[in-house]
Amino acid sequence: MDMPTPSPSILSRKARIVARLQAVLPADAVVHDPAEVRAYECDALSAYRCPPLAAILPRSTAEVAAALRVCHEEGVPVVPRGAGTSLAGGALPTADSVILGVARMTEVLEVSYPDRFIRVQAGRTNLAVTGAVEGDGFFYAPDPSSQLACAISGNIAMNSGGAHCLKYGVTTNNLLGVTLVLMDGTVVEVGGPWMDAPDLDLLGVICGSEGQLGVVTEAVLRILPKPEGALPVLIGFQSSEVAGACVSDIIKAGVLPVAIEFMDGPCIKACEAFAKAGYPDCEALLIVEVEGAEAEIRHQLSLITEIARRHNPVEVREAADADQARRIWLGRKSAFGAMGQINDYMCLDGTIPVTELPYVLRRIGELSAHYGLDVANVFHAGDGNMHPLILYNANIPGEQEKCEDFGADILRLCVEVGGCLTGEHGVGIEKRDLMEVQYGPDDLEAQLRVKDVFDPNWLLNPAKVFPLHVTAPRRAAAGGQA
Amino acid sequence: MTLDLTPQTEAELAEGIRAASGPLVVRGGGTRGGLRAGQGVSTAGLGGVRLYEPGALTLVAGAGTPIADLEALLATEGQCLAFEVPDLRRLLQRRGQSTLGGVIAENAAGPRRVVSGAARDFCLGLRFVDGQGTVIRNGGRVMKNVTGYDLVKLLAGSRGQLGVLTEVALKVLPRPETEQTLVLRGLPDGQAVAAMSAALGSPYEVTGAAHLPGAETLLRLEGFEGSVRYRAGQLAALLRPFGAVEMAETSPWAAIRDVLPLAGRAGDLWRISTRPSEASALVARLGAEAVVYDWGGALVWALMPPGADLRARAGAFCGHARCLRGDASAGPVPLDPALAALTAGLRQKFDPRGLFA
């Protein structure tokens, strides 16, 4: 992975930069000891590591603004960091950058049930947002798998999704406003507890901009009343193609489940060995969850099982109660852990039109044979967001590179059938160099212009999202100014 | 007088914009904006459905496609545009017919906004031509896409300030099997908003909540018949403290979507976005001739005496307001300076010659 050469000028000014940050932040908010900054050298994409120049852990918007003003004046790149759970390397530092961690900003600032929103500091974890309102019957809908650990700031940076976004949408559909600190320390309130923008929808482009436009310190989030109940049905099939066709039929029939999850044979076997969820021995498995009152749930499940039976399932298992529901979800929720037990793996995130599922699964099988690496598929089938897990052994020289080549081929396949490189994890550094597969030069240029407006000196979250050769002229020009 | 541009292809549109020397006025169906002077640009030649996959809930069409055509096509598969495109022709005394591009550029949204979202939330991808005549593509046609910056949201609701839309990919949804509307009568505005908040905060999936002149408070439930019947009973019980609950005989939602209670009446028309809990106090300060509350009170349509300065009457409030018909000098409430600077910066980047200003 190519990264820009760290600026010798910044590295040589470390003591002065740290002193200036210490002057505007509490003593415990500036981490600069070379051993201590190693805690920030990577995120969940741990194959790539680089200790930052320093890390700062502010507690308020005002502290973030003060620190950014210093970094701006010193021309130091800043890498915003939520909880460090990015699978795409979204929070990977450069050696000449300051990590800005929002982990200490976790307060709930306001809750309004009549207006159905919550305002939080952006370092609060996804699950703790729901935790603040669930006692009163509400929840925050986007539910990435890492929701126990991941911060709202990171959810906003990556526009995170989750298993239940088929019904409730992803982060951008549930975000009403942010407090954004620009690189020069300007604090901007974008949106708020209302439903649309007075002029250009800046909130819409800030969400998913991977921390490159500003640092989000507070967020206004839509909260929803919890449904009366929810139950899943598990359906096993002889082949992935048949399961894919069943997904399409369910959607077409007018039932809108909250989640349709898919696992293929290798994944089912690994999960079964790991979690002993009692899954049937078959080649493809769907978990379809519906919500509502008891009678509504039964009605929807009957519609779904009726459709499923037309596809000759090997098993249809409706959850009778919460305990059976938990068992059905158990294997799916432990899928990544199960795969991690048996192998190193690389998790992809390409999204495809649902109608292309059978074709794409077949092609992935062929690629798997070509590369000699196994792949297990587990994903959000309802919205076509695939998560192929490529299994490899990091101790075998060359195998990680082979795995990355295989991954790139799968993502090219996703784009080729009308899909995209990433559905919910973000580009980060991981998919940076594939951006030109999806977008032409003019398409990328339009995105760079947005960055020019928000961060004219190109200091925020450097070397992510766009191929380095595409951003080189801008970074060179900005370097001259800094 | 320069002749209107009537491109038949995206490339022709790009060429026309590159050659333009003065202000351009983009017209879809002519049902909304576009009243200022300048060379017209018609998107009528850029219509047509490119792809419709009911099983993937996806539709891709040219920006000039009439919304009525799309709705007719979707109806054949029992599907719909879930954001309920308002037809404001009677309200704004316009002719023509809404087009896909205009609806996205306006970020249109009807009563279902309160749970399902606006046009922006159903827009999966788009193509547009910017002020330099460059064709730009963003997003795609899949349900989840975080590849690069989300210019789709930036363009949705941009009212043509950044470029001319040429193609849009939409997420569509199954049309609900049945609908039932609950009615409360005679509630003062504050009580009506409280009733709507109670309903929207319940687990019964209310998909419309409006309060109309004549003190009618309306709550909509949609879905499978048995489910709607069950939820209507539960919701009626929940709302009992607010008064007697009736079941409506006919559907009022098309009229609410199109703001018909305020159509055909003299006065300035304002659209206000706010938080429901502030809405009735705000309305009390306005001295409006009539108001319609939609989105549970998060959207207020106010018919004001001609020339009334809404900003002065409203004072500081949570949200924003825009004048859709009437004395334009009353203008929108100005943006915060930092927001205004970012907005102006984006306009400058995408339209450096100010063709769409």
Side-chain angles (χ1 to χ4, degrees):
Chain A
M1 181 61 55
D2 285 342
M3 292 299 271
T5 311
S7 155
S9 154
I10 293 172
L11 297 178
S12 71
R13 281 181 284 131
K14 175 173 175 175
R16 167 195 154 111
I17 292 161
V18 166
R20 287 197 65 188
L21 289 169
Q22 284 169 328
V24 299
L25 293 172
D28 69 345
V30 183
V31 180
H32 58 90
D33 178 84
E36 288 177 44
V37 296
R38 294 201 78 88
Y40 303 93
E41 68 181 3
C42 70
D43 54 25
L45 186 69
S46 56
Y48 301 103
R49 292 163 194 265
C50 174
L53 189 75
I56 54 174
L57 302 166
R59 287 185 174 81
S60 67
T61 299
E63 287 183 7
V64 170
L68 285 178
R69 269 193 294 275
V70 168
C71 293
H72 184 249
E73 283 165 19
E74 294 287 342
V76 182
V78 171
V79 177
R81 179 182 168 106
T85 58
S86 173
L87 293 167
L92 179 74
T94 55
D96 57 0
S97 69
V98 169
I99 283 274
L100 193 165
V102 295
R104 289 180 180 168
M105 300 179 62
T106 60
E107 298 289 307
V108 172
L109 303 169
E110 186 181 1
V111 178
S112 171
Y113 296 122
D115 300 328
R116 296 170 303 286
F117 76 84
I118 182 170
R119 198 157 64 88
V120 296
Q121 283 189 311
R124 194 170 182 87
T125 64
N126 175 294
L127 205 58
V129 171
T130 288
V133 296
E134 68 183 344
D136 295 299
F138 284 79
F139 74 111
Y140 175 62
D143 60 339
S145 302
S146 57
Q147 68 181 150
L148 182 64
C150 65
I152 288 298
S153 63
N155 290 183
I156 294 168
M158 295 309 195
N159 189 15
S160 302
H164 290 76
C165 54
L166 186 56
K167 176 171 178 185
Y168 296 112
V170 296
T171 302
T172 191
N173 311 112
N174 291 278
L175 178 69
L176 299 172
V178 294
T179 301
L180 184 79
V181 188
L182 301 179
M183 187 62 216
D184 66 4
T186 305
V187 178
V188 198
E189 296 292 338
V190 186
W194 51 86
M195 291 191 176
D196 53 16
D199 199 319
L200 296 182
D201 186 356
L202 302 185
L203 188 62
V205 75
I206 289 164
C207 188
S209 62
E210 307 208 6
Q212 294 198 315
L213 303 186
V215 176
V216 172
T217 57
E218 294 175 14
V220 181
L221 307 168
R222 183 169 82 131
I223 52 173
L224 300 172
K226 267 197 296 201
E228 287 182 89
L231 284 178
V233 56
L234 176 151
I235 312 162
F237 294 97
Q238 299 287 16
S239 80
S240 292
E241 276 94 337
V242 179
C246 182
V247 169
S248 197
D249 283 356
I250 290 170
I251 289 172
K252 218 172 145 179
V255 195
L256 195 64
V258 281
I260 305 180
E261 297 291 292
F262 180 109
M263 297 165 73
D264 71 358
C267 189
I268 297 166
K269 284 174 189 68
C271 290
E272 195 48 36
F274 179 73
K276 303 194 174 37
Y279 285 170
D281 184 12
C282 58
E283 283 310 306
L285 197 150
L286 296 178
I287 298 174
V288 187
E289 179 152 286
V290 297
E291 287 181 349
E294 179 70 21
E296 294 176 82
I297 289 175
R298 292 297 160 206
H299 176 65
Q300 292 180 72
L301 288 180
S302 73
L303 292 172
I304 289 164
T305 53
E306 190 189 311
I307 292 164
R309 284 186 208 288
R310 281 184 235 144
H311 295 272
N312 300 315
V314 296
E315 180 159 349
V316 176
R317 191 186 298 171
E318 267 188 52
D321 55 33
D323 186 56
Q324 287 184 16
R326 191 188 55 77
R327 289 195 65 78
I328 286 177
W329 275 110
L330 178 67
R332 168 62 183 91
K333 290 199 169 166
S334 53
F336 287 46
M339 302 315 295
Q341 284 268 307
I342 51 173
N343 265 92
D344 297 308
Y345 69 81
M346 176 178 172
C347 174
L348 301 174
D349 175 41
T351 302
I352 57 167
V354 178
T355 39
E356 299 289 341
L357 266 178
Y359 170 73
V360 170
L361 288 170
R362 192 168 64 244
R363 286 285 295 133
I364 288 177
E366 288 164 13
L367 287 167
S368 168
H370 170 77
Y371 280 97
L373 291 174
D374 285 334
V375 62
N377 284 291
V378 47
F379 56 89
H380 314 306
D383 41 34
N385 189 187
M386 308 192 69
H387 290 310
L389 306 178
I390 305 174
L391 310 181
Y392 70 103
N393 186 338
N395 295 323
I396 299 175
E399 193 138 292
Q400 179 170 343
E401 289 72 19
K402 195 159 75 163
C403 173
E404 287 178 358
D405 289 345
F406 182 8
D409 277 354
I410 292 179
L411 295 181
R412 283 191 194 94
L413 170 65
C414 290
V415 174
E416 184 190 305
V417 300
C420 66
L421 300 173
T422 169
E424 60 184 5
H425 294 173
V427 177
I429 51 160
E430 192 199 22
K431 282 148 298 208
R432 184 189 74 187
D433 295 332
L434 287 170
M435 282 291 274
E436 288 162 298
V437 174
Q438 184 163 341
Y439 286 121
D442 290 339
D443 306 328
L444 290 175
E445 170 66 23
Q447 298 179 35
L448 303 186
R449 285 185 209 153
V450 174
K451 168 87 167 161
D452 289 337
V453 171
F454 282 80
D455 178 23
N457 292 346
W458 279 71
L459 291 174
L460 274 167
N461 212 7
K464 315 281 167 62
V465 186
F466 306 104
L468 292 182
H469 72 90
V470 170
T471 60
R474 283 172 157 89
R475 285 183 290 115
Q481 291 166 23
Chain B
M1 176 71 196
T2 326
L3 285 177
D4 280 5
L5 295 174
T6 53
Q8 300 303 302
T9 63
E10 189 179 64
E12 283 178 24
L13 172 66
E15 197 182 320
I17 290 177
R18 279 195 295 273
S21 54
L24 297 174
V25 182
V26 185
R27 288 198 191 89
T31 58
R32 296 161 197 261
L35 288 180
R36 65 200 179 81
Q39 185 183 10
V41 181
S42 166
T43 60
L46 303 174
V49 173
R50 313 273 153 80
L51 175 146
Y52 177 34
E53 286 186 355
L57 302 176
T58 313
L59 183 144
V60 183
T65 315
I67 286 293
D69 292 5
L70 294 181
E71 287 177 335
L73 173 66
L74 291 167
T76 63
E77 294 284 345
Q79 297 185 336
C80 67
L81 298 175
F83 53 96
E84 294 182 288
V85 180
D87 175 354
L88 301 182
R89 285 178 294 184
R90 282 181 62 189
L91 184 71
L92 302 178
Q93 292 144 318
R94 297 290 189 89
R95 293 172 185 284
Q97 52 181 351
S98 289
T99 59
L100 176 58
V103 159
I104 299 302
E106 189 66 26
N107 188 29
R112 219 182 272 121
R113 169 70 184 91
V114 74
V115 284
S116 301
R120 78 188 282 277
D121 299 290
F122 291 87
C123 202
L124 304 174
L126 47 76
R127 299 172 65 95
F128 68 102
V129 182
D130 74 1
Q132 301 180 78
T134 307
V135 177
I136 296 164
R137 188 171 57 93
N138 193 260
R141 65 175 177 98
V142 289
M143 295 295 159
K144 282 164 83 178
N145 188 344
V146 296
T147 318
Y149 296 167
D150 192 349
L151 304 187
V152 175
K153 301 286 184 301
L154 187 64
L155 268 288
S158 64
R159 298 186 199 118
Q161 297 179 83
L162 305 180
V164 183
L165 298 175
T166 56
E167 184 180 282
V168 178
L170 289 173
K171 174 183 180 179
V172 300
L173 282 182
R175 182 201 288 257
E177 186 180 273
T178 54
E179 167 189 310
Q180 175 65 260
T181 299
L182 282 64
V183 191
L184 288 159
R185 294 188 197 281
L187 295 180
D189 289 6
Q191 277 289 299
V193 172
M196 292 193 285
S197 287
L200 289 165
S202 79
Y204 309 123
E205 300 200 43
V206 173
T207 64
H211 181 63
L212 307 184
E216 250 191 340
T217 310
L218 303 156
L219 298 154
R220 176 174 64 180
L221 299 169
E222 295 174 296
F224 294 113
E225 196 186 342
S227 163
V228 168
R229 202 180 323 117
Y230 163 79
R231 286 183 280 135
Q234 297 292 106
L235 186 60
L238 178 84
L239 294 173
R240 186 51 53 79
F242 294 95
V245 179
E246 299 168 27
M247 299 291 162
E249 305 269 314
T250 55
S251 173
W253 296 100
I256 294 167
R257 180 194 69 196
D258 302 343
V259 207
L260 293 188
L262 304 184
R265 298 178 59 170
D268 295 354
L269 186 76
W270 286 78
R271 183 186 180 283
I272 305 166
S273 261
T274 187
R275 54 193 279 190
S277 59
E278 278 194 16
S280 66
L282 171 64
V283 165
R285 295 197 296 274
L286 293 181
E289 311 265 339
V291 298
V292 167
Y293 295 83
D294 197 354
W295 305 353
L299 175 67
V300 178
W301 295 92
L303 191 69
M304 300 290 291
D309 186 346
L310 181 129
R311 276 174 290 172
R313 294 185 181 201
F317 71 98
C318 187
H320 55 90
R322 186 158 67 99
C323 185
L324 269 79
R325 190 188 76 199
D327 183 3
S329 67
V333 180
L335 294 176
D336 158 84
L339 267 183
L342 292 171
T343 302
L346 288 167
R347 268 197 221 111
Q348 206 280 328
K349 288 283 181 191
F350 284 88
D351 178 24
R353 293 184 290 161
L355 299 179
F356 308 127

